[in-house]
Amino acid sequence: YIKGTGKNSWQIFEENVEKRTFNDYELEQDLYFAVENNELDVYLQPIMKKDSPQTSYAEALVRWKHPVHGLIPPSAFIPIAEQSGFIHQIDEFVFKRTCEIIQRWKMDYQIDLTVSNNVSPKRFLRHSFITNVKNTLNHFQVDARNIIFEITETTLIHDPEIVHKTINDFRKLGIRFALDDFGTGYSSISHVSMFNIDFLKIDRQFIQDIHLNKRNQAILKGITNFTSELNIPMIAEGIETAEELEFLQKLNCAYFQGYYFSKPCDLETFKEFMLG
Ligand code: C2E
Ligand code: MG
Ligand code: MG
Ligand code: MG
């Protein structure tokens, strides 16, 4: 899957090496039908806790199975969805599906899953968001403690009072927050202390080859210092090798996520990972 050379165009290389190109405009039109036509799916990627071989924690990641173009990654359609407004339907779909999964696992396997959802800034700032979330939690009889919302610093830079209030309203319900992609955006230490954040997710960019990269080691040590001072557990994203993991374990990182443990996978595969 390669970003095309032409502006806003994408090329998909399929098994038969046939090449097809389409553009963002076409994607936006197709997105309109994606939710209705059941083309969206939720994948889950396990998040491991330090010194524990098992987990009951995962991140939900949306997947789009386009009828013509095949699997389209979120990086190709989330920005378009954010611009066009479809992001509300997408995030709402993912949240409903998440609650449905949590409910099922509790009933079928007596497993208390905690699942994190990525929340787009637009959805976060919408007035109806909290009512919407409450209704869905009620509908599926899901405890708010089983939900973690992942937000990015793009969300935090909006009107601080509104953001502060929204986070706290959700935290009163029992929903926790993770600051996603830390290190890639504004990455202000004050963001972490100013808003009530429960977890800090370190972007893969800092994790890749961390055992070899002195500069990133220095940055990560700095982040560890203030997060442990503030009592905020760190989650390392995108761990691919044993060497990276080993280094992060020594750094007192609390949670680990990455292909090294498991790729994001469909429910069947996730079930196998979890239940063996
Ligand atoms: P993110 O929230 O930072 O999610 C982590 C991304 O890293 C995922 O990409 C995941 O598949 C990938 N990843 C995890 N471990 C590894 C690894 O070891 N190596 C590598 N190379 N990658 C790894 P994905 O699923 O393509 O999603 C990309 C981004 O799209 C997400 O980044 C998130 O910002 C956004 N996104 C995904 N699902 C949703 C959603 O339901 N709603 C919203 N608003 N955004 C979403
Ligand atoms: Mg995330
Ligand atoms: Mg991230
Ligand atoms: Mg990201």
Side-chain angles (χ1 to χ4, degrees), residues 180-181 203 237:
D180 202 358
D181 302 340
D203 195 74
E237 295 192 289

Side-chain angles (χ1 to χ4, degrees), residues 130-262:
I130 191 153
T131 322
N132 218 295
V133 165
K134 276 188 202 161
N135 288 342
T136 305
L137 287 174
N138 276 339
H139 178 84
F140 290 100
Q141 292 290 299
V142 165
D143 189 334
R145 288 297 293 177
N146 291 36
I147 304 292
I148 295 171
F149 282 153
E150 299 193 2
I151 56 174
T152 63
E153 294 186 301
T154 312
T155 295
L156 298 185
I157 56 162
H158 291 90
D159 187 337
E161 260 172 56
I162 292 175
V163 173
H164 205 267
K165 188 183 180 307
T166 310
I167 290 180
N168 284 340
D169 286 350
F170 275 111
R171 288 182 93 245
K172 270 182 228 152
L173 278 186
I175 287 179
R176 289 170 290 169
F177 282 85
L179 188 54
D180 202 358
D181 302 340
F182 193 78
T184 58
Y186 305 89
S187 298
S188 150
I189 296 174
S190 70
H191 280 157
V192 182
S193 56
M194 193 158 65
F195 301 100
N196 284 313
I197 298 291
D198 301 279
F199 303 90
L200 191 69
K201 296 192 81 169
I202 311 294
D203 195 74
R204 186 174 96 86
Q205 169 184 325
F206 293 97
I207 305 304
Q208 212 173 4
D209 290 329
I210 182 70
H211 55 293
L212 305 172
N213 189 324
K214 292 272 183 273
R215 191 177 163 273
N216 284 350
Q217 287 174 15
I219 295 172
L220 226 56
K221 275 177 191 152
I223 299 175
T224 321
N225 283 344
F226 80 80
T227 51
S228 62
E229 206 61 43
L230 296 168
N231 233 330
I232 299 170
M234 282 203 313
I235 305 170
E237 295 192 289
I239 298 169
E240 292 186 354
T241 69
E243 290 81 3
E244 290 164 353
L245 176 65
E246 201 188 328
F247 189 91
L248 292 159
Q249 275 167 332
K250 279 188 263 175
L251 254 188
N252 232 350
C253 199
Y255 296 90
F256 310 110
Q257 179 180 6
Y259 294 175
Y260 178 74
F261 298 101
S262 167

